[in-house]
Amino acid sequence: MLDVPHEAKVRGHQRAPSDSKEFHEVTKRDALRLLENDVDRLLQTTEPARQPALRAELGRFADLFGRFLQEEGPALDWNKIQKLPENAVMNYSNLKLPKNEQIRNMLDKLVVIKLNGGLGTSMGCHGPKSVIPVRSDLTFLDLTVQQIENLNKTYDANVPLVLMNSFNTDEDTEKIVRKYKGFRVQIHTFNQSCFPRISREHFLPVAKDVDVEKDMEAWYPPGHGDFYDTFRNSGLLKKFIEEGREYCFLSNIDNLGATVDLNILNKLVGEERATTPVEFVMEVTDKTRADVKGGTLIQMENKLRLLEIAQVPPEHVDDFKSVKTFKFFNTNNIWANLAAIDRVLREKTLNMEIIVNNKTLENGTRVVQLETAVGAAMKCFDGAIGINVPRSRFLPVKKSSDLLLVMSNLYTLKNGSLVMSPQRMFPTTPLVKLGENHFSKVKEFLGRFANIPDIIELDHLTVSGDVTFGRGVSLRGTVIIIANHGDRIDIPAGAILENKIVSGNMRILDH
Protein backbone atom coordinates (compact mmCIF):
# COMPACT_ATOMS: atom_id res chain seq x y z
CA MET A 1 0.00 0.00 0.00
CA LEU A 2 1.23 3.47 -0.89
CA ASP A 3 2.38 5.76 1.93
CA VAL A 4 0.53 9.05 1.63
CA PRO A 5 1.19 12.09 3.82
CA HIS A 6 -1.66 13.12 6.15
CA GLU A 7 -2.58 16.17 4.10
CA ALA A 8 -2.99 14.03 0.97
CA LYS A 9 -4.35 10.84 2.55
CA VAL A 10 -6.85 10.04 -0.13
CA ARG A 11 -7.14 6.26 -0.18
CA GLY A 12 -6.26 5.27 3.38
CA HIS A 13 -8.24 2.36 4.80
CA GLN A 14 -7.66 3.29 8.47
CA ARG A 15 -9.59 6.51 8.65
CA ALA A 16 -10.22 8.25 11.96
CA PRO A 17 -13.93 8.31 12.96
CA SER A 18 -13.92 12.12 12.75
CA ASP A 19 -12.89 12.02 9.05
CA SER A 20 -15.67 13.29 6.83
CA LYS A 21 -16.38 12.60 3.18
CA GLU A 22 -16.07 16.35 2.50
CA PHE A 23 -12.59 16.43 4.06
CA HIS A 24 -11.41 13.62 1.77
CA GLU A 25 -12.87 15.27 -1.31
CA VAL A 26 -10.97 18.46 -0.42
CA THR A 27 -7.66 16.63 0.14
CA LYS A 28 -8.08 14.81 -3.17
CA ARG A 29 -8.65 18.11 -4.96
CA ASP A 30 -5.65 19.63 -3.16
CA ALA A 31 -3.37 16.75 -4.12
CA LEU A 32 -4.43 17.02 -7.78
CA ARG A 33 -4.15 20.83 -7.80
CA LEU A 34 -0.65 20.69 -6.28
CA LEU A 35 0.42 18.11 -8.85
CA GLU A 36 -0.99 20.15 -11.75
CA ASN A 37 0.91 23.21 -10.46
CA ASP A 38 4.09 21.15 -10.35
CA VAL A 39 3.49 19.88 -13.89
CA ASP A 40 3.14 23.52 -15.03
CA ARG A 41 6.43 24.31 -13.27
CA LEU A 42 8.14 21.43 -15.13
CA LEU A 43 6.79 22.69 -18.46
CA GLN A 44 8.41 26.07 -17.90
CA THR A 45 11.84 24.39 -17.81
CA THR A 46 11.85 23.68 -21.56
CA GLU A 47 11.83 25.83 -24.69
CA PRO A 48 8.38 27.01 -25.95
CA ALA A 49 8.53 24.85 -29.11
CA ARG A 50 8.53 21.64 -27.07
CA GLN A 51 5.83 22.70 -24.63
CA PRO A 52 2.63 21.73 -26.55
CA ALA A 53 3.68 18.07 -27.03
CA LEU A 54 4.95 17.86 -23.45
CA ARG A 55 1.77 19.49 -22.13
CA ALA A 56 -0.31 16.78 -23.84
CA GLU A 57 1.90 14.01 -22.44
CA LEU A 58 1.99 15.36 -18.91
CA GLY A 59 -1.76 16.04 -19.19
CA ARG A 60 -2.26 12.28 -19.70
CA PHE A 61 -0.16 11.71 -16.62
CA ALA A 62 -2.28 14.16 -14.59
CA ASP A 63 -5.43 12.33 -15.77
CA LEU A 64 -3.95 9.02 -14.60
CA PHE A 65 -3.03 10.56 -11.26
CA GLY A 66 -6.54 12.03 -10.91
CA ARG A 67 -8.08 8.61 -11.53
CA PHE A 68 -5.70 7.07 -9.00
CA LEU A 69 -6.91 9.56 -6.38
CA GLN A 70 -10.56 8.74 -7.07
CA GLU A 71 -10.22 4.98 -6.88
CA GLU A 72 -10.70 3.34 -3.52
CA GLY A 73 -7.91 0.84 -3.95
CA PRO A 74 -6.92 -1.82 -6.47
CA ALA A 75 -9.08 -4.69 -5.21
CA LEU A 76 -12.22 -5.62 -7.10
CA ASP A 77 -15.47 -7.02 -5.66
CA TRP A 78 -14.72 -10.74 -5.68
CA ASN A 79 -18.40 -11.64 -5.45
CA LYS A 80 -19.09 -9.99 -8.81
CA ILE A 81 -16.91 -12.48 -10.72
CA GLN A 82 -19.11 -14.58 -13.00
CA LYS A 83 -18.49 -18.02 -14.47
CA LEU A 84 -16.74 -17.81 -17.85
CA PRO A 85 -19.33 -18.33 -20.62
CA GLU A 86 -18.92 -21.45 -22.80
CA ASN A 87 -17.82 -19.46 -25.87
CA ALA A 88 -15.54 -17.00 -24.02
CA VAL A 89 -12.36 -18.99 -24.66
CA MET A 90 -11.93 -20.76 -28.00
CA ASN A 91 -9.74 -23.81 -28.25
CA TYR A 92 -6.87 -23.22 -30.68
CA SER A 93 -7.28 -26.76 -32.08
CA ASN A 94 -10.72 -25.75 -33.44
CA LEU A 95 -9.21 -23.01 -35.64
CA LYS A 96 -8.71 -23.72 -39.34
CA LEU A 97 -5.63 -23.01 -41.47
CA PRO A 98 -6.43 -20.63 -44.36
CA LYS A 99 -6.10 -21.66 -47.99
CA ASN A 100 -2.76 -20.64 -49.48
CA GLU A 101 -4.23 -18.27 -52.06
CA GLN A 102 -5.98 -16.25 -49.30
CA ILE A 103 -2.95 -15.76 -47.08
CA ARG A 104 -1.41 -12.78 -48.88
CA ASN A 105 -4.71 -10.86 -48.75
CA MET A 106 -5.02 -11.63 -45.03
CA LEU A 107 -1.45 -10.55 -44.24
CA ASP A 108 -2.04 -7.23 -46.01
CA LYS A 109 -4.61 -6.47 -43.27
CA LEU A 110 -2.10 -7.02 -40.46
CA VAL A 111 0.41 -4.92 -38.51
CA VAL A 112 2.89 -6.57 -36.11
CA ILE A 113 3.75 -4.56 -32.98
CA LYS A 114 6.47 -5.47 -30.50
CA LEU A 115 6.74 -3.96 -27.03
CA ASN A 116 10.38 -2.89 -26.97
CA GLY A 117 10.61 -0.60 -23.94
CA GLY A 118 12.61 -2.82 -21.59
CA LEU A 119 16.30 -2.74 -20.73
CA GLY A 120 18.46 -5.82 -20.23
CA THR A 121 19.70 -4.67 -16.81
CA SER A 122 17.99 -7.50 -14.86
CA MET A 123 20.13 -9.93 -16.89
CA GLY A 124 23.30 -7.87 -16.43
CA CYS A 125 23.24 -6.32 -19.93
CA HIS A 126 23.39 -2.69 -21.06
CA GLY A 127 20.96 -1.18 -23.56
CA PRO A 128 17.64 -2.53 -24.87
CA LYS A 129 16.78 -6.09 -23.90
CA SER A 130 15.90 -6.77 -27.55
CA VAL A 131 19.60 -6.72 -28.53
CA ILE A 132 20.71 -9.54 -26.19
CA PRO A 133 21.92 -12.50 -28.32
CA VAL A 134 19.61 -15.44 -27.62
CA ARG A 135 20.38 -18.02 -30.29
CA SER A 136 23.20 -18.43 -32.83
CA ASP A 137 24.35 -14.86 -32.02
CA LEU A 138 20.94 -13.57 -33.14
CA THR A 139 19.09 -11.10 -30.90
CA PHE A 140 15.35 -10.88 -30.11
CA LEU A 141 15.13 -8.14 -32.72
CA ASP A 142 17.05 -10.15 -35.35
CA LEU A 143 14.70 -13.11 -34.88
CA THR A 144 11.60 -10.90 -35.11
CA VAL A 145 12.83 -9.28 -38.35
CA GLN A 146 13.68 -12.72 -39.79
CA GLN A 147 10.20 -14.03 -38.99
CA ILE A 148 8.41 -11.16 -40.71
CA GLU A 149 10.77 -11.08 -43.68
CA ASN A 150 10.10 -14.80 -44.17
CA LEU A 151 6.32 -14.16 -44.13
CA ASN A 152 6.64 -11.31 -46.62
CA LYS A 153 8.85 -13.33 -48.98
CA THR A 154 6.85 -16.56 -48.75
CA TYR A 155 3.48 -14.93 -49.46
CA ASP A 156 4.62 -11.84 -51.42
CA ALA A 157 3.09 -9.72 -48.63
CA ASN A 158 4.02 -6.47 -46.91
CA VAL A 159 3.50 -6.90 -43.17
CA PRO A 160 5.06 -3.91 -41.36
CA LEU A 161 6.89 -4.22 -38.04
CA VAL A 162 6.28 -1.53 -35.41
CA LEU A 163 8.46 -1.18 -32.31
CA MET A 164 7.07 0.62 -29.28
CA ASN A 165 10.21 1.97 -27.60
CA SER A 166 10.64 3.83 -24.33
CA PHE A 167 12.96 6.75 -23.64
CA ASN A 168 15.33 4.08 -22.27
CA THR A 169 15.57 2.15 -25.55
CA ASP A 170 14.70 4.62 -28.33
CA GLU A 171 18.14 5.99 -29.22
CA ASP A 172 19.90 2.60 -29.23
CA THR A 173 17.07 0.94 -31.16
CA GLU A 174 17.09 3.61 -33.88
CA LYS A 175 20.80 2.93 -34.50
CA ILE A 176 20.29 -0.85 -34.62
CA VAL A 177 17.26 -0.70 -36.94
CA ARG A 178 19.48 0.81 -39.68
CA LYS A 179 21.15 -2.56 -40.24
CA TYR A 180 17.84 -3.98 -41.53
CA LYS A 181 17.63 -1.49 -44.43
CA GLY A 182 18.10 -4.20 -47.08
CA PHE A 183 15.50 -6.54 -45.55
CA ARG A 184 12.00 -6.99 -46.91
CA VAL A 185 10.40 -5.47 -43.82
CA GLN A 186 9.14 -1.92 -43.28
CA ILE A 187 10.09 -0.97 -39.72
CA HIS A 188 8.38 1.87 -37.85
CA THR A 189 9.11 3.04 -34.32
CA PHE A 190 7.32 5.26 -31.82
CA ASN A 191 7.89 6.10 -28.18
CA GLN A 192 5.60 5.36 -25.30
CA SER A 193 5.05 8.16 -22.79
CA CYS A 194 7.62 9.37 -20.30
CA PHE A 195 5.94 10.13 -16.96
CA PRO A 196 7.43 11.64 -13.78
CA ARG A 197 7.90 9.45 -10.72
CA ILE A 198 6.02 10.72 -7.69
CA SER A 199 7.55 11.03 -4.23
CA ARG A 200 5.73 8.91 -1.66
CA GLU A 201 6.53 11.54 0.94
CA HIS A 202 5.04 14.69 -0.59
CA PHE A 203 3.09 13.21 -3.52
CA LEU A 204 4.75 15.48 -6.12
CA PRO A 205 7.12 14.74 -9.04
CA VAL A 206 10.74 14.20 -7.98
CA ALA A 207 11.98 15.68 -11.28
CA LYS A 208 13.37 19.20 -11.10
CA ASP A 209 13.03 19.84 -14.85
CA VAL A 210 12.06 18.02 -18.06
CA ASP A 211 15.62 17.14 -19.08
CA VAL A 212 15.16 13.37 -18.80
CA GLU A 213 18.79 12.63 -19.72
CA LYS A 214 19.96 14.65 -16.72
CA ASP A 215 17.99 12.58 -14.22
CA MET A 216 16.77 9.32 -15.78
CA GLU A 217 15.66 7.97 -12.40
CA ALA A 218 13.04 10.70 -12.03
CA TRP A 219 11.08 9.39 -15.04
CA TYR A 220 9.52 6.10 -16.10
CA PRO A 221 7.63 4.50 -19.01
CA PRO A 222 4.07 3.89 -17.69
CA GLY A 223 3.53 0.24 -18.67
CA HIS A 224 2.32 -1.19 -21.99
CA GLY A 225 -1.26 0.02 -21.44
CA ASP A 226 0.10 3.34 -22.70
CA PHE A 227 0.25 1.73 -26.17
CA TYR A 228 -3.21 2.86 -27.31
CA ASP A 229 -2.73 6.60 -26.79
CA THR A 230 0.84 6.80 -28.02
CA PHE A 231 0.16 4.61 -31.07
CA ARG A 232 -2.59 7.00 -32.10
CA ASN A 233 -0.54 10.10 -31.31
CA SER A 234 2.35 8.80 -33.44
CA GLY A 235 0.07 8.96 -36.52
CA LEU A 236 0.66 5.26 -37.23
CA LEU A 237 -2.87 4.16 -36.28
CA LYS A 238 -4.37 6.56 -38.84
CA LYS A 239 -1.77 5.58 -41.47
CA PHE A 240 -2.48 1.85 -41.18
CA ILE A 241 -6.26 2.27 -41.20
CA GLU A 242 -5.97 4.36 -44.38
CA GLU A 243 -3.86 1.57 -45.92
CA GLY A 244 -6.76 -0.83 -45.35
CA ARG A 245 -5.13 -2.72 -42.48
CA GLU A 246 -7.59 -4.10 -39.95
CA TYR A 247 -5.75 -5.74 -37.05
CA CYS A 248 -2.57 -5.42 -35.05
CA PHE A 249 -0.83 -8.35 -33.39
CA LEU A 250 0.96 -7.07 -30.30
CA SER A 251 3.37 -8.99 -28.04
CA ASN A 252 6.44 -8.64 -25.83
CA ILE A 253 9.66 -8.69 -27.85
CA ASP A 254 11.19 -11.17 -25.37
CA ASN A 255 8.43 -13.75 -25.99
CA LEU A 256 10.07 -15.92 -28.65
CA GLY A 257 6.85 -17.92 -29.10
CA ALA A 258 4.82 -14.90 -30.21
CA THR A 259 4.97 -15.35 -33.99
CA VAL A 260 2.26 -14.38 -36.51
CA ASP A 261 -0.31 -17.19 -36.42
CA LEU A 262 -2.24 -17.72 -39.66
CA ASN A 263 -4.99 -19.77 -37.95
CA ILE A 264 -5.83 -16.91 -35.58
CA LEU A 265 -5.58 -14.38 -38.43
CA ASN A 266 -8.01 -16.54 -40.44
CA LYS A 267 -10.53 -16.22 -37.59
CA LEU A 268 -10.22 -12.43 -37.71
CA VAL A 269 -9.96 -11.50 -41.40
CA GLY A 270 -10.18 -14.74 -43.41
CA GLU A 271 -12.84 -17.28 -44.36
CA GLU A 272 -13.45 -18.13 -40.71
CA ARG A 273 -14.22 -14.50 -39.82
CA ALA A 274 -17.12 -14.41 -37.34
CA THR A 275 -20.38 -12.72 -38.36
CA THR A 276 -20.15 -10.57 -35.23
CA PRO A 277 -16.74 -8.83 -35.40
CA VAL A 278 -14.15 -9.94 -32.85
CA GLU A 279 -12.50 -6.67 -31.84
CA PHE A 280 -10.05 -8.06 -29.29
CA VAL A 281 -8.33 -11.43 -28.81
CA MET A 282 -6.22 -12.37 -25.82
CA GLU A 283 -4.10 -15.47 -26.23
CA VAL A 284 -4.22 -17.50 -23.03
CA THR A 285 -2.61 -20.83 -22.25
CA ASP A 286 -3.11 -23.52 -19.61
CA LYS A 287 -1.95 -22.42 -16.19
CA THR A 288 0.69 -24.53 -14.43
CA ARG A 289 2.09 -24.16 -10.94
CA ALA A 290 4.87 -22.02 -12.44
CA ASP A 291 2.30 -19.47 -13.69
CA VAL A 292 0.19 -18.87 -10.58
CA LYS A 293 0.96 -15.13 -10.47
CA GLY A 294 0.08 -14.50 -14.14
CA GLY A 295 -3.06 -12.55 -15.07
CA THR A 296 -6.16 -14.57 -15.89
CA LEU A 297 -9.46 -14.14 -17.74
CA ILE A 298 -12.69 -13.53 -15.87
CA GLN A 299 -16.25 -12.52 -16.73
CA MET A 300 -17.53 -9.51 -14.80
CA GLU A 301 -20.54 -7.29 -15.45
CA ASN A 302 -21.12 -9.44 -18.58
CA LYS A 303 -17.75 -8.45 -20.05
CA LEU A 304 -14.57 -10.47 -20.45
CA ARG A 305 -11.70 -8.85 -18.61
CA LEU A 306 -8.16 -9.40 -17.39
CA LEU A 307 -7.66 -10.03 -13.68
CA GLU A 308 -4.16 -9.35 -12.32
CA ILE A 309 -2.92 -10.50 -8.92
CA ALA A 310 -2.59 -6.86 -7.76
CA GLN A 311 -6.39 -6.49 -8.02
CA VAL A 312 -7.16 -9.54 -5.89
CA PRO A 313 -8.33 -8.96 -2.28
CA PRO A 314 -5.72 -10.49 0.10
CA GLU A 315 -8.18 -13.10 1.39
CA HIS A 316 -8.69 -14.45 -2.16
CA VAL A 317 -5.06 -14.64 -3.35
CA ASP A 318 -4.99 -18.44 -2.83
CA ASP A 319 -8.18 -18.76 -4.91
CA PHE A 320 -6.56 -16.68 -7.66
CA LYS A 321 -3.47 -18.91 -7.66
CA SER A 322 -5.54 -22.09 -7.86
CA VAL A 323 -4.97 -23.95 -11.12
CA LYS A 324 -8.45 -25.51 -10.77
CA THR A 325 -10.37 -22.26 -10.26
CA PHE A 326 -8.58 -20.23 -12.95
CA LYS A 327 -7.39 -22.58 -15.69
CA PHE A 328 -5.78 -20.01 -18.01
CA PHE A 329 -3.23 -17.23 -17.84
CA ASN A 330 -2.56 -14.29 -20.15
CA THR A 331 0.42 -14.63 -22.53
CA ASN A 332 0.22 -10.90 -23.41
CA ASN A 333 -0.15 -11.85 -27.09
CA ILE A 334 -2.98 -9.51 -28.14
CA TRP A 335 -4.86 -9.10 -31.45
CA ALA A 336 -6.88 -5.88 -31.67
CA ASN A 337 -9.02 -4.28 -34.35
CA LEU A 338 -7.47 -0.97 -35.47
CA ALA A 339 -10.79 0.78 -36.20
CA ALA A 340 -12.06 -0.31 -32.77
CA ILE A 341 -8.94 1.14 -31.08
CA ASP A 342 -9.63 4.41 -32.92
CA ARG A 343 -13.29 4.39 -31.83
CA VAL A 344 -12.54 3.63 -28.15
CA LEU A 345 -10.00 6.48 -28.06
CA ARG A 346 -12.32 8.96 -29.82
CA GLU A 347 -15.23 8.10 -27.53
CA LYS A 348 -12.93 8.23 -24.46
CA THR A 349 -14.21 4.84 -23.26
CA LEU A 350 -10.73 3.36 -22.70
CA ASN A 351 -10.50 2.43 -19.04
CA MET A 352 -7.67 0.30 -17.65
CA GLU A 353 -7.07 -0.52 -14.01
CA ILE A 354 -4.14 1.36 -12.49
CA ILE A 355 -1.14 -0.67 -11.33
CA VAL A 356 0.64 1.00 -8.41
CA ASN A 357 4.34 0.20 -8.53
CA ASN A 358 6.36 1.26 -5.47
CA LYS A 359 10.11 1.75 -5.99
CA THR A 360 13.12 3.08 -4.08
CA LEU A 361 15.63 5.14 -6.09
CA GLU A 362 19.39 4.76 -5.69
CA ASN A 363 19.51 7.84 -3.45
CA GLY A 364 16.93 6.26 -1.10
CA THR A 365 13.94 8.34 -2.27
CA ARG A 366 10.77 6.27 -2.11
CA VAL A 367 8.62 6.82 -5.19
CA VAL A 368 5.49 5.50 -6.81
CA GLN A 369 4.88 4.99 -10.51
CA LEU A 370 1.39 4.52 -11.93
CA GLU A 371 1.10 2.04 -14.79
CA THR A 372 -1.52 0.26 -16.91
CA ALA A 373 -1.49 -3.08 -18.78
CA VAL A 374 -2.43 -3.42 -22.46
CA GLY A 375 -4.66 -6.46 -21.80
CA ALA A 376 -6.75 -4.56 -19.24
CA ALA A 377 -8.42 -2.71 -22.15
CA MET A 378 -10.18 -5.94 -23.15
CA LYS A 379 -13.44 -4.96 -21.40
CA CYS A 380 -13.63 -1.77 -23.51
CA PHE A 381 -14.00 -3.69 -26.81
CA ASP A 382 -16.96 -5.53 -28.35
CA GLY A 383 -16.86 -9.24 -29.13
CA ALA A 384 -13.69 -9.84 -27.11
CA ILE A 385 -12.59 -13.48 -26.79
CA GLY A 386 -9.76 -15.54 -25.41
CA ILE A 387 -8.04 -18.25 -27.47
CA ASN A 388 -6.43 -21.10 -25.55
CA VAL A 389 -3.16 -21.49 -27.46
CA PRO A 390 -0.43 -24.15 -27.12
CA ARG A 391 2.28 -23.43 -24.57
CA SER A 392 4.74 -23.06 -27.47
CA ARG A 393 3.29 -19.57 -28.08
CA PHE A 394 4.53 -18.46 -24.67
CA LEU A 395 8.32 -18.63 -24.56
CA PRO A 396 9.48 -15.55 -22.65
CA VAL A 397 13.13 -14.95 -21.78
CA LYS A 398 13.12 -13.12 -18.45
CA LYS A 399 15.98 -14.93 -16.71
CA SER A 400 19.07 -16.95 -17.54
CA SER A 401 17.06 -20.14 -16.85
CA ASP A 402 14.84 -19.19 -19.83
CA LEU A 403 17.97 -18.49 -21.87
CA LEU A 404 19.24 -22.00 -21.12
CA LEU A 405 16.05 -23.45 -22.65
CA VAL A 406 16.07 -21.36 -25.85
CA MET A 407 19.81 -21.88 -26.47
CA SER A 408 19.57 -25.66 -26.00
CA ASN A 409 18.88 -28.55 -28.36
CA LEU A 410 15.29 -28.48 -27.13
CA TYR A 411 14.66 -26.09 -30.05
CA THR A 412 15.73 -25.69 -33.64
CA LEU A 413 15.75 -22.34 -35.41
CA LYS A 414 13.66 -22.04 -38.56
CA ASN A 415 13.21 -18.68 -40.32
CA GLY A 416 13.57 -16.78 -37.04
CA SER A 417 11.12 -19.04 -35.16
CA LEU A 418 12.03 -21.55 -32.47
CA VAL A 419 10.51 -24.98 -33.09
CA MET A 420 10.57 -27.66 -30.38
CA SER A 421 12.62 -30.70 -31.35
CA PRO A 422 10.53 -33.70 -32.46
CA GLN A 423 12.85 -35.81 -30.26
CA ARG A 424 11.21 -34.30 -27.15
CA MET A 425 8.69 -36.89 -26.00
CA PHE A 426 6.24 -34.41 -24.44
CA PRO A 427 5.30 -30.81 -25.29
CA THR A 428 6.06 -29.21 -21.91
CA THR A 429 9.39 -27.48 -21.32
CA PRO A 430 11.59 -28.57 -18.39
CA LEU A 431 11.38 -26.59 -15.16
CA VAL A 432 14.80 -24.93 -14.70
CA LYS A 433 15.96 -23.07 -11.58
CA LEU A 434 19.44 -21.53 -11.60
CA GLY A 435 20.92 -19.86 -8.51
CA GLU A 436 20.68 -16.06 -8.55
CA ASN A 437 24.17 -15.49 -7.12
CA HIS A 438 26.09 -17.32 -9.85
CA PHE A 439 23.81 -17.45 -12.90
CA SER A 440 21.60 -14.32 -13.03
CA LYS A 441 23.84 -12.22 -15.30
CA VAL A 442 24.12 -13.35 -18.94
CA LYS A 443 27.92 -13.04 -19.12
CA GLU A 444 28.43 -15.07 -15.94
CA PHE A 445 25.82 -17.63 -17.03
CA LEU A 446 27.59 -18.19 -20.38
CA GLY A 447 30.95 -18.52 -18.62
CA ARG A 448 29.66 -21.50 -16.61
CA PHE A 449 28.87 -23.66 -19.65
CA ALA A 450 31.51 -24.93 -22.10
CA ASN A 451 28.42 -25.48 -24.22
CA ILE A 452 24.71 -25.80 -23.37
CA PRO A 453 23.91 -29.35 -22.13
CA ASP A 454 21.67 -31.79 -23.97
CA ILE A 455 18.28 -31.38 -22.21
CA ILE A 456 15.95 -33.24 -24.62
CA GLU A 457 15.00 -35.69 -21.84
CA LEU A 458 15.18 -33.24 -18.91
CA ASP A 459 12.15 -32.71 -16.63
CA HIS A 460 13.56 -30.60 -13.83
CA LEU A 461 16.91 -28.93 -13.17
CA THR A 462 17.98 -27.06 -10.03
CA VAL A 463 21.50 -25.62 -9.84
CA SER A 464 22.73 -23.65 -6.82
CA GLY A 465 26.16 -22.33 -5.93
CA ASP A 466 29.50 -22.31 -7.75
CA VAL A 467 28.84 -24.90 -10.50
CA THR A 468 30.39 -25.23 -13.99
CA PHE A 469 29.55 -27.58 -16.87
CA GLY A 470 32.04 -29.17 -19.26
CA ARG A 471 31.40 -29.76 -22.96
CA GLY A 472 28.82 -32.36 -24.06
CA VAL A 473 27.02 -32.83 -20.73
CA SER A 474 23.62 -34.57 -20.89
CA LEU A 475 20.89 -33.91 -18.28
CA ARG A 476 17.89 -36.27 -18.01
CA GLY A 477 14.91 -36.64 -15.70
CA THR A 478 15.33 -34.67 -12.46
CA VAL A 479 18.80 -33.30 -11.76
CA ILE A 480 19.71 -31.29 -8.65
CA ILE A 481 23.24 -29.86 -8.29
CA ILE A 482 24.05 -27.95 -5.11
CA ALA A 483 27.50 -26.60 -4.24
CA ASN A 484 27.55 -25.43 -0.65
CA HIS A 485 29.04 -22.08 0.31
CA GLY A 486 32.80 -22.17 -0.29
CA ASP A 487 32.59 -25.36 -2.37
CA ARG A 488 32.73 -25.73 -6.14
CA ILE A 489 31.33 -28.41 -8.43
CA ASP A 490 32.70 -28.96 -11.96
CA ILE A 491 30.52 -31.30 -14.01
CA PRO A 492 33.04 -33.11 -16.26
CA ALA A 493 32.84 -33.09 -20.07
CA GLY A 494 30.63 -35.83 -21.49
CA ALA A 495 28.92 -36.54 -18.14
CA ILE A 496 25.41 -38.04 -18.25
CA LEU A 497 23.33 -37.11 -15.20
CA GLU A 498 19.98 -38.88 -14.98
CA ASN A 499 17.75 -38.50 -11.88
CA LYS A 500 20.80 -37.45 -9.85
CA ILE A 501 21.46 -35.25 -6.84
CA VAL A 502 25.03 -33.87 -6.79
CA SER A 503 26.21 -31.91 -3.76
CA GLY A 504 29.36 -31.05 -1.86
CA ASN A 505 32.63 -30.30 -3.62
CA MET A 506 33.87 -31.71 -6.94
CA ARG A 507 36.81 -30.12 -8.73
CA ILE A 508 38.20 -31.23 -12.08
CA LEU A 509 41.95 -30.55 -12.01
CA ASP A 510 44.04 -30.00 -15.14
CA HIS A 511 46.99 -32.45 -15.45
Side-chain angles (χ1 to χ4, degrees), residues 132-140 143 256 397 403 406-407:
I132 296 174
V134 284
R135 181 86 192 208
S136 309
D137 282 333
L138 297 170
T139 66
F140 292 104
L143 294 174
L256 294 175
V397 180
L403 205 51
V406 300
M407 294 176 85

Side-chain angles (χ1 to χ4, degrees), residues 104-350:
R104 178 188 169 181
N105 187 41
M106 286 166 43
L107 289 172
D108 284 343
K109 293 174 181 170
L110 181 68
V111 179
V112 173
I113 297 167
K114 293 289 182 181
L115 303 172
N116 185 46
L119 291 168
T121 42
S122 64
M123 295 175 77
C125 299
H126 298 291
K129 188 174 182 184
S130 57
V131 299
I132 296 174
V134 284
R135 181 86 192 208
S136 309
D137 282 333
L138 297 170
T139 66
F140 292 104
L141 199 47
D142 292 336
L143 294 174
T144 301
V145 170
Q146 277 194 15
Q147 289 162 20
I148 297 175
E149 184 182 50
N150 179 59
L151 265 182
N152 287 340
K153 279 182 172 174
T154 305
Y155 300 105
D156 191 25
N158 183 23
V159 177
L161 170 63
V162 180
L163 302 172
M164 181 170 93
N165 300 330
S166 68
F167 65 89
N168 286 317
T169 63
D170 177 55
E171 195 178 329
D172 286 338
T173 301
E174 288 297 340
K175 288 176 191 163
I176 292 153
V177 162
R178 291 176 200 153
K179 77 174 182 179
Y180 305 118
K181 277 276 192 285
F183 287 67
R184 188 168 166 172
V185 183
Q186 278 182 24
I187 301 177
H188 305 269
T189 61
F190 71 96
N191 268 18
Q192 68 182 113
S193 300
C194 178
F195 285 175
R197 284 180 165 142
I198 294 290
S199 161
R200 280 158 66 185
E201 186 184 340
H202 51 63
F203 238 35
L204 293 171
V206 294
K208 300 287 182 280
D209 58 45
V210 291
D211 186 349
V212 177
E213 295 290 320
K214 200 163 76 183
D215 188 5
M216 298 279 273
E217 272 207 317
W219 302 84
Y220 73 100
H224 40 60
D226 185 53
F227 157 74
Y228 302 99
D229 274 312
T230 49
F231 184 47
R232 175 188 59 180
N233 294 345
S234 72
L236 288 170
L237 176 61
K238 183 172 185 280
K239 169 187 163 62
F240 292 135
I241 290 173
E242 286 174 354
E243 286 178 6
R245 299 190 187 273
E246 292 183 28
Y247 280 84
C248 64
F249 170 50
L250 180 144
S251 61
N252 298 342
I253 197 146
D254 65 5
N255 178 6
L256 294 175
T259 57
V260 172
D261 188 280
L262 296 175
N263 298 29
I264 296 175
L265 192 59
N266 196 21
K267 172 73 183 166
L268 299 175
V269 299
E271 270 194 331
E272 297 297 309
R273 185 195 287 251
T275 45
T276 314
V278 175
E279 291 187 350
F280 194 99
V281 171
M282 180 181 287
E283 291 186 38
V284 296
T285 194
D286 291 344
K287 197 174 188 176
T288 68
R289 297 202 186 283
D291 314 308
V292 291
K293 291 183 179 178
T296 192
L297 270 186
I298 59 167
Q299 178 88 349
M300 196 166 177
E301 295 165 345
N302 300 315
K303 281 273 194 179
L304 261 190
R305 59 195 279 177
L306 175 65
L307 174 65
E308 299 275 14
I309 195 164
Q311 298 163 256
V312 178
E315 65 274 20
H316 289 289
V317 166
D318 287 342
D319 299 328
F320 174 83
K321 288 181 175 179
S322 161
V323 177
K324 286 181 183 171
T325 313
F326 298 104
K327 296 184 177 69
F328 311 115
F329 81 96
N330 169 29
T331 64
N332 216 38
N333 300 347
I334 305 287
W335 302 72
N337 183 283
L338 298 175
I341 293 174
D342 187 52
R343 182 195 74 233
V344 165
L345 288 167
R346 272 189 291 103
E347 294 176 357
K348 295 185 166 52
T349 53
L350 190 65

Side-chain angles (χ1 to χ4, degrees), residues 63-107:
D63 289 345
L64 190 66
F65 184 80
R67 272 186 52 219
F68 162 72
L69 293 178
Q70 292 303 321
E71 290 174 7
E72 287 301 315
L76 52 68
D77 186 341
W78 197 257
N79 298 319
K80 287 188 178 177
I81 296 177
Q82 302 161 310
K83 193 173 184 293
L84 275 180
E86 285 292 312
N87 59 349
V89 179
M90 283 191 70
N91 197 315
Y92 180 84
S93 60
N94 294 336
L95 298 176
K96 294 193 174 87
L97 191 66
K99 296 186 180 76
N100 252 20
E101 63 270 17
Q102 297 168 331
I103 294 174
R104 178 188 169 181
N105 187 41
M106 286 166 43
L107 289 172

